[in-house]
C-alpha cells in the first residue's frame, strides 16, 4: 500500500497540498483533522464537557465516521449525516483541539486511521501521522510556515468568505493552537527525524506539490536499489477449540469471579475497550489477574501467567479457555511471544505484570525492577499501555481498590529497533507507574477515596499550571 504521511501545524496548507497529491497520484485523501472535528461536533451536540474524558469517552461507542463520495469529492459523514460544513465552523477548531487531548479519542481515531491506511493507498495529513499513526510509512513530510504567514493566509481565506477578521486575533488563535498541539501529553505534534521538512512561507502551493512528488520519486529510486528481504510471518499455532465441558467450566469460573470480588474500580473510562492494549499492573496477590480478567478485560482479553499454574492438564485447559497465556520463566518462550503478539494484532488486550512475579514485600509504595517484556510487546505491536494499580493487597471478602490510569504510547521510541530501546522504554514505563502511584496516594490518602474531591483538586491544579504557562510565554 502507498501511505504518504504529512504533518504540520494548523494553517500550513497541509489539507490543500495533501488533496492535490492524492489527485495527482489517483489515491485516497484522508483528512484526519476532520475526524477529530466530527467527534467534537458529536460531543458538543450531546452536551458533553470536552475536557472530561468520563463524559466524552462513553460517546465513542455511538459514533460512526465514514467518508462518502459525492461525485466531485469525499464528504465526511457522522452516523450517516453529512457534517462537512458544520465541522468547519470557527468554534469547532478549538473543540477539536480539546477532544484531541483525550487518549480515548485518540486511540479510537488512530485505530480507524491505521485500518484505512492498511487497506488503501492513501495520503493522510494531521499532527501525529508521521510520529504515531504510521511511524513506518515510507513517505513522511513535515509542512510548515511562520505563524505570521499562516495568520495572513487564514485572514485572506476568511475575507474571501465575506467574514470580518482581525489579524492579531487570528495570529493569537494560531499561536494558542500551536501551543496546544505541541504540548499535549499524547502524541503531540513533532517533526520526526525521518520526515522531509518543507517550509512554505515563501513558496507557492504548486511548488510544494512538486517538491513532495520529486521526494517520493527519490525515495522510490533509492529503495529500488536495496534488495527487499523476504519477511517470514510469525505463525502462532492455531488454538484448538476446547471440549464443551472445559468451555462450560471456564464460563462458570468467569461468572463466579465476577460476583465474588467486590472491587471499586476508579476511572474505568480510561480503560481502552475494543482495541489492542498492553495492560500492566502492580502484583501482590494471586487474586490480581482474576479480578482484572473478570472485571476489566474484554471477552477476548489475555493474561500472561507463569506456566507453573498450568501443570495439571485440566487446569491448563480451563485457564487457556479463560485467556491465560502460560510463559516459561527464565527462558525465551517463543511460543508465548507469538501468542502475545498475535493477540495484540487481533486487537485484544493483554495483561502483563511488568515485575514478572509477585511482590512479596509488604511495601506498597515501591515496585520490583521491571522486566523488558512490556516495552518489547508494546513497541512491536505499536500498542498503547494501560496502567492499573491496586491500592493495597487484594483480598477475599474485602473491598479492593483498583485504579485505572490514562493510557500512554511509547511513540517517542517508534522508528527505532525495539531491541535497542527496550531498556529506556522500560524506564519510561516504570516512571509512568510511579506517577500513577502518586495519584493513588493522593486519591486514597489525601481525599479518602472521594473521586469528586480528587477531581476538583486536579482541575484547580491544571488551571493553575495553564495560567503559569501562559504567564511565562508572555514574559
Ligand atoms: O487540521 P485541523 O485544524 O482540521 O485539526 C483539528 C484539530 O484536530 C487540531 O487542533 C488538532 C487535532 N488533530 C490531531 O490532534 N491529530 C490529527 N492527526 C489531526 C488533527
Amino acid at each position: 500500500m502507498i501511505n504518504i504521511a504529512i504533518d504540520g501545524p494548523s494553517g500550513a496548507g497541509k489539507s490543500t497540498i495533501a488533496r492535490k497529491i492524492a489527485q495527482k497520484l489517483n489515491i485516497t485523501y484522508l483528512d484526519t483533522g476532520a475526524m477529530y472535528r466530527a467527534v467534537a461536533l458529536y460531543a458538543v451536540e450531546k452536551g458533553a464537557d470536552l475536557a472530561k474524558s468520563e463524559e466524552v469517552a462513553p460517546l465513542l461507542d455511538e459514533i460512526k465516521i465514514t467518508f462518502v463520495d459525492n461525485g466531485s469529492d469525499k464528504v465526511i459523514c457522522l452516523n450517516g449525516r453529512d457534517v462537512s460544513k458544520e465541522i468547519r465552523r470557527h468554534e469547532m477548531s478549538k473543540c477539536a483541539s480539546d477532544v484531541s487531548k483525550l487518549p480515548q479519542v485518540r486511540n479510537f481515531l488512530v485505530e480507524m486511521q491505521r485500518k484505512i491506511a492498511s487497506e488503501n493507498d492513501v495520503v493522510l495529513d494531521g499532527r501525529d501521522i508521521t510520529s504515531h499513526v504510521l511511524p513506518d510509512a515510507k513517505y513522511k513530510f513535515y509542512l510548515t510556515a511562520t505563524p505570521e504567514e499562516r495568520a495572513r493566509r487564514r485572514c485572506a481565506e476568511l475575507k474571501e468568505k465575506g467574514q470580518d477578521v482581525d489579524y492579531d486575533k487570528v495570529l493569537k488563535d494560531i499561536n494558542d493552537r500551536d501551543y496546544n498541539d505541541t504540548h499535549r501529553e499524547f502524541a503531540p505534534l513533532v517533526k520526526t527525524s525521518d520526515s522531509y521538512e518543507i517550509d512554505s512561507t515563501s513558496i507557492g502551493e504548486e511548488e510544494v506539490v512538486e517538491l513532495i512528488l520529486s521526494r517520493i520519486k527519490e525515495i522510490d529510486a533509492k529503495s529500488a536499489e536495496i534488495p527487499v528481504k523476504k519477511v517470514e510471518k510469525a505463525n502462532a499455532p492455531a488454538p484448538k477449540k476446547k471440549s464443551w465441558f472445559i468451555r462450560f467450566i471456564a464460563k462458570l469460573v468467569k461468572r463466579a469471579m465476577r460476583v465474588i470480588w467486590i472491587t471499586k474500580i476508579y476511572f474505568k473510562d480510561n480503560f481502552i475497550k475494543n482495541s489492542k492494549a498492553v495492560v500492566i499492573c502492580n502484583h501482590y496477590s494471586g487474586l490480581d489477574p482474576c479480578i482484572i480478567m473478570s472485571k476489566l478485560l474484554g471477552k477476548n482479553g489475555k493474561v500472561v501467567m507463569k506456566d507453573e499454574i498450568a501443570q495439571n492438564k485440566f487446569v491448563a485447559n480451563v485457564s487457556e479457555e479463560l485467556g491465560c497465556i502460560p510463559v516459561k520463566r527464565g527462558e525465551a518462550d517463543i511460543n508465548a511471544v507469538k501468542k502475545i503478539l498475535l493477540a495484540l494484532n487481533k486487537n485484544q488486550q493483554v495483561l502483563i505484570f511488568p515485575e514478572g512475579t509477585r511482590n512479596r514485600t509488604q511495601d506498597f509504595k515501591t515496585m520490583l525492577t521491571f522486566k523488558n517484556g512490556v516495552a518489547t510487546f508494546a513497541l512491536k505491536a505499536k500498542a498503547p499501555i494501560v496502567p492499573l494499580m491496586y491500592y493495597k493487597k487484594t483480598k477475599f471478602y474485602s473491598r479492593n481498590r483498583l485504579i485505572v490510569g490514562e493510557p500512554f504510547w511509547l511513540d517517542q521510541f517508534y522508528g527505532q529497533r525495539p531491541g535497542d530501546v527496550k531498556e529506556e522504554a522500560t524506564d519510561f514505563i516504570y516512571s509512568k507507574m510511579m506517577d500513577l502511584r502518586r495519584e493513588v496516594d493522593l486519591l486514597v490518602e489525601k481525599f479518602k477515596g472521594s473521586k469528586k474531591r480528587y477531581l476538583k483538586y486536579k482541575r484547580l491544579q491544571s488551571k493553575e499550571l495553564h495560567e503559569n504557562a501562559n504567564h511565562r510565554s508572555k514574559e
Side-chain angles (χ1 to χ4, degrees), residues 32-33 36-37 88 96-97 100 106 126-128 177 181 184:
T32 62
Y36 286 90
R37 286 169 183 265
R88 296 287 153 204
S97 187
S100 76
R106 298 211 74 82
R127 306 293 191 286
D128 59 344
R177 275 227 275 163
D181 294 342
R184 65 172 178 233

Side-chain angles (χ1 to χ4, degrees), residues 111 236-239 274-277 300-302 338-350 381:
E111 285 308 318
N274 314 322
S275 150
K276 69 179 156 199
N300 295 314
K302 303 278 179 219
K338 283 182 182 171
K339 281 186 187 166
I340 294 168
L341 286 175
L342 192 77
L344 289 171
N345 289 334
K346 281 184 5 200
N347 269 342
Q348 295 169 346
Q349 299 122 18
V350 181

Side-chain angles (χ1 to χ4, degrees), residues 57 103-108 111 186 267-279 296-298 347-350 383-388 404-409:
Q104 294 88 347
V105 172
R106 298 211 74 82
N107 194 58
F108 173 71
E111 285 308 318
F186 297 97
F267 309 114
K268 209 170 173 174
D269 281 335
N270 279 338
F271 195 79
I272 292 179
K273 284 187 282 180
N274 314 322
S275 150
K276 69 179 156 199
V278 179
V279 182
L296 267 180
L297 296 188
N347 269 342
Q348 295 169 346
Q349 299 122 18
V350 181
I385 298 175
V386 184
L388 310 179
V404 185
E406 293 202 327
F408 60 93
W409 284 263

Side-chain angles (χ1 to χ4, degrees), residues 207-218:
E207 225 173 312
V208 175
V209 171
E210 281 315 311
L211 274 174
I212 291 182
L213 291 175
S214 61
R215 175 74 184 168
I216 290 175
K217 277 194 200 130
E218 214 177 280

